Amino acid sequence: MQPTQHLSEQRLADAWAELQAQSNNGTALTADAYRLAFADPEFMLRRETRGIRIQLEMLKPDLAQASMGVQHTVVVFGSARIREPAVAAEQLAAAEAGGDARTIAKARALMRNAHYYDEAREFARIVARYSRHCPREEQMFVCTGGGPGIMEAANRGAHDEGALNVGLNITLPHEQSGNVYVTPDLGFKFHYFAMRKMHFMMRAKALVAFPGGFGTLDELFEVITLVQCQKAKPVPIVLFGSDYWRRLLNLDLLVEEGTISPEDVNLVKYVDDPQTAWEHILAFYNLPDVPSRCG
């Protein structure tokens, strides 16, 4: 290491050590004009420096994923509330023991949808097993919002196979923490939804949406709109759970009312099986179905 580079890095380390020492000593942090600007939280959190913070949220996950060879992802969305069958069964038993009708109805719905947890987990396993036999630059890595429910299931499936996987978490009023199956060096936390959305799309080779609520719909329609308007490259958009999605989305109505084109209906694919979902992605890119022949 060159002496000047060492000196520069030491100064940066000293600046952060000063802040840490203040925290450890319980000393209140006050504005300090002489503190290095990028080591000054009071300055970095000003409204006027929002642009800098947005740039940092773009750069940090981008550099980290590039350094670990994550170039292509399969993004999995779905409800954070869905639990694995064993947990859902325990919650249902507890609800029935409590006797509250509303709690029982909610627990029964979660039990009814618990199979999606196992299917999301299996889908991620399939992705990981296939990519294991591909050159790193052609591998596809599971990417989720990093939270519980379907996100946890997908990260868990990749983790089962020993594969790297990505979690793009975000700060929420009801604090959400990353699930334990996200690869630690690929677990990121965002403040800005816009930056998180961009990172979902930057490396996405496919989107698989399991049943979910407003958050899932938000991300799903974002991708559909970008692809429809040719603001993003075409990617396979898979809706897992055909009964759920066909009841929720009446795309034929939009065609009838002239608000979308007939061909827009083909932007999505309904599936009910993890292997079928993966085969659709392979067919979209004309990839072989035998992993050893990847690329």
Side-chain angles (χ1 to χ4, degrees):
M1 182 182 294
Q2 296 296 323
T4 53
Q5 182 179 350
H6 177 75
L7 178 61
S8 174
E9 291 183 356
Q10 186 60 50
R11 286 172 176 167
L12 299 184
D14 289 345
W16 284 105
E18 176 190 355
L19 296 181
Q20 186 62 51
Q22 284 184 295
S23 175
N24 292 341
N25 295 332
T27 305
L29 187 66
T30 58
D32 185 349
Y34 195 65
R35 184 180 293 125
L36 291 172
F38 48 79
D40 186 348
E42 293 289 326
F43 170 71
M44 288 296 293
L45 295 177
R46 290 173 62 105
R47 183 179 183 278
E48 295 87 346
T49 56
R50 179 182 296 160
I52 299 171
R53 297 194 300 274
I54 289 174
Q55 291 179 57
L56 292 174
E57 285 207 345
M58 171 59 71
L59 189 61
K60 179 181 177 181
D62 189 42
L63 292 178
Q65 290 178 83
S67 70
M68 297 186 71
V70 177
Q71 299 183 33
H72 311 294
T73 59
V74 175
V75 178
V76 179
F77 293 136
S79 175
R81 304 184 184 191
I82 290 176
R83 296 291 180 263
E84 61 180 309
V87 174
E90 291 176 0
Q91 293 178 343
L92 177 57
E96 290 176 338
D100 181 74
R102 291 182 61 182
T103 303
I104 293 173
K106 180 179 177 181
R108 285 177 177 169
L110 292 177
M111 187 70 237
R112 184 171 63 248
N113 291 319
H115 66 95
Y116 289 119
Y117 184 102
D118 285 344
E119 288 161 337
R121 185 177 177 181
E122 177 58 22
F123 172 77
R125 287 173 176 156
I126 293 171
V127 176
R129 285 195 294 264
Y130 185 98
S131 291
R132 180 186 301 135
H133 299 280
C134 301
R136 176 53 67 94
E137 65 273 11
E138 296 177 12
Q139 291 180 3
M140 287 187 268
F141 300 90
V142 169
C143 174
T144 79
I150 292 297
M151 296 173 283
E152 175 189 290
N155 291 125
R156 186 176 181 178
H159 182 270
D160 290 341
E161 298 293 327
L164 299 177
N165 63 91
V166 184
L168 307 180
N169 216 299
I170 191 160
T171 54
L172 297 172
H174 45 287
E175 185 63 26
Q176 175 178 300
S177 59
N179 68 69
V180 298
Y181 302 105
V182 175
T183 300
D185 289 340
L186 293 172
F188 307 102
K189 189 175 185 178
F190 290 84
H191 175 71
Y192 297 103
F193 266 104
M195 290 300 99
R196 183 178 184 242
K197 288 174 180 289
M198 288 192 68
H199 277 289
F200 274 130
M201 287 301 297
M202 283 171 61
R203 290 173 166 81
K205 300 294 286 186
L207 164 68
V208 181
F210 283 77
F214 290 147
T216 301
L217 293 173
D218 174 46
E219 301 293 354
L220 172 62
F221 280 108
E222 185 90 30
V223 176
I224 292 175
T225 302
L226 289 172
V227 172
Q228 180 203 42
C229 297
Q230 300 182 17
K231 288 294 184 179
K233 61 184 181 297
V235 296
I237 302 171
V238 180
L239 302 182
F240 197 105
S242 59
D243 179 64
Y244 180 90
W245 288 109
R246 289 186 187 279
R247 284 189 295 137
L248 178 61
L249 304 179
N250 189 347
L251 299 184
D252 291 335
L253 181 146
L254 299 181
V255 173
E256 291 172 7
E257 296 298 328
T259 53
I260 65 172
S261 301
E263 58 269 21
D264 290 337
V265 174
N266 299 322
L267 291 174
V268 301
K269 172 74 172 180
Y270 300 92
V271 304
D272 294 290
D273 174 74
Q275 185 63 41
T276 303
W278 179 240
E279 288 172 357
H280 174 67
I281 295 171
L282 294 180
F284 186 94
Y285 291 108
N286 195 29
L287 292 172
D289 58 2
V290 180
S292 60
R293 294 169 53 203
C294 180

